[in-house]
Amino acid sequence: MAGGGISSFWGPVTSTTECCEKNYAYSSYIAEFHNTISNIPCIVLALVGLINALRQRFEKRFSVLHISNMILAIGSMIFHATLQRLQQQSDETPMVWEMLLYLYILYSPDWHYRSTMPIFLFLYGAAFAAVHSVACFGAGFRVHYVILCLLCVPRMYKYYIHTQDASARRLAKMYVATLLIGTFCWLFDRVFCNEISSWPVNPQGHALWHVFMGFNSYLANTFLMFCRAQQRGWSPRVVHFMGALPFVKIEKPKAQ
């Protein structure tokens, strides 16, 4: 949103979307300050998840998943700092790649033709990136992203109803709660931007969306790690770092 009053290091805005935050209000190098720094919690949480996955030798898919969360958050920071069309792709393309990775992790355990799914998802992600680099989808991108998210819902629900551990089920409930609250913040920022612009304090709905989705991704990853560890017979349990941040602790059989 225009009106920051500070000259832009990156030049005129060329992105196809902006949020309800004044551009360059604090620095000529950061277009949307709050929307940029609000990605930091996602990076930190993804790093914590990555360390846990590597330390306990979870399958590589979970390390890649945590890394993809970090890539998405860094791409989002670059986009919101610059508001350039090219950098917008560094935010939107990883969003799609990340959802394809979630689809693989959710559905691959019961997929009988093991090589077909990763090949198809890889080609789909590469094709999307190529097309998205030259075409602007606008609302079509958001519809596409929502469809990918909805494809994950049936499998997540199946995992939830087959999980008896109370702590793991609590992770799933917190995942849903952060998703709903974050989505509300995102919608509020978009729908009521004109009204918010006249308020003495901007609640920074899009920045809150970033924060809640950072926790949402971490909770989703932790829940999926628990479910996968159950499938592998690794005796998972949910423990808390400093009594607050949940993570999965496993005990692999000696043969593994």
Side-chain angles (χ1 to χ4, degrees), residues 101-177:
L101 186 54
Y102 276 117
L103 286 171
Y104 171 73
I105 290 175
L106 284 165
Y107 287 97
S108 62
D110 293 336
W111 193 262
H112 298 294
Y113 306 98
R114 293 186 177 276
S115 63
T116 57
M117 178 179 286
I119 292 174
F120 171 76
L121 293 177
F122 174 81
L123 293 176
Y124 187 96
F128 174 83
V131 174
H132 191 44
S133 66
V134 296
C136 176
F137 298 115
F141 168 80
R142 290 188 285 273
V143 172
H144 175 238
Y145 183 72
V146 169
I147 290 173
L148 292 177
C149 293
L150 291 176
L151 289 174
C152 296
V153 172
R155 191 68 174 185
M156 285 290 283
Y157 180 69
K158 179 181 178 181
Y159 280 3
Y160 174 78
I161 63 176
H162 284 88
T163 300
Q164 303 302 318
D165 185 89
S167 297
R169 290 172 71 91
R170 193 177 302 116
L171 289 175
K173 293 175 182 177
M174 292 170 62
Y175 159 78
V176 173

Side-chain angles (χ1 to χ4, degrees), residues 28-250:
S28 61
Y29 297 99
I30 303 177
E32 296 177 342
F33 180 80
H34 294 96
N35 290 341
T36 300
I37 65 171
S38 57
N39 284 285
I40 294 175
C42 182
I43 297 174
V44 173
L45 289 168
L47 181 60
V48 171
L50 176 62
I51 292 172
N52 184 42
L54 292 173
R55 184 173 60 86
Q56 300 196 81
R57 297 184 179 180
F58 272 88
E59 293 164 303
K60 291 181 181 179
R61 65 187 69 182
F62 291 105
S63 298
V64 175
L65 181 59
H66 290 298
I67 292 172
S68 76
N69 293 154
M70 284 190 279
I71 291 174
L72 173 56
I74 293 170
S76 180
M77 292 182 76
I78 294 172
F79 164 56
H80 287 289
T82 63
L83 291 182
Q84 299 297 299
R85 175 70 183 94
L86 178 62
Q87 282 72 19
Q88 184 176 349
Q89 296 174 40
S90 71
D91 180 25
E92 294 180 347
T93 299
M95 289 174 67
V96 172
W97 287 351
E98 183 182 68
M99 292 314 303
L100 296 177
L101 186 54
Y102 276 117
L103 286 171
Y104 171 73
I105 290 175
L106 284 165
Y107 287 97
S108 62
D110 293 336
W111 193 262
H112 298 294
Y113 306 98
R114 293 186 177 276
S115 63
T116 57
M117 178 179 286
I119 292 174
F120 171 76
L121 293 177
F122 174 81
L123 293 176
Y124 187 96
F128 174 83
V131 174
H132 191 44
S133 66
V134 296
C136 176
F137 298 115
F141 168 80
R142 290 188 285 273
V143 172
H144 175 238
Y145 183 72
V146 169
I147 290 173
L148 292 177
C149 293
L150 291 176
L151 289 174
C152 296
V153 172
R155 191 68 174 185
M156 285 290 283
Y157 180 69
K158 179 181 178 181
Y159 280 3
Y160 174 78
I161 63 176
H162 284 88
T163 300
Q164 303 302 318
D165 185 89
S167 297
R169 290 172 71 91
R170 193 177 302 116
L171 289 175
K173 293 175 182 177
M174 292 170 62
Y175 159 78
V176 173
T178 52
L179 177 61
L180 293 176
I181 297 172
T183 301
F184 172 80
C185 294
W186 182 84
L187 287 171
F188 188 84
D189 186 79
R190 291 189 64 85
V191 175
F192 298 103
C193 184
N194 291 334
E195 291 79 3
I196 292 172
S197 300
S198 63
W199 293 1
V201 177
N202 187 333
Q204 303 297 342
H206 196 87
L208 289 174
W209 151 263
H210 286 162
V211 174
F212 279 111
M213 293 311 295
F215 280 96
N216 177 265
S217 298
Y218 178 81
L219 292 167
N221 297 357
T222 305
F223 177 70
L224 290 176
M225 290 169 72
F226 181 93
C227 294
R228 183 57 176 164
Q230 268 194 328
Q231 293 172 345
R232 299 296 301 271
W234 291 346
S235 303
R237 56 192 178 93
V238 178
V239 296
H240 294 80
F241 177 69
M242 299 184 65
L245 188 66
F247 67 95
V248 177
K249 190 175 181 61
I250 60 175

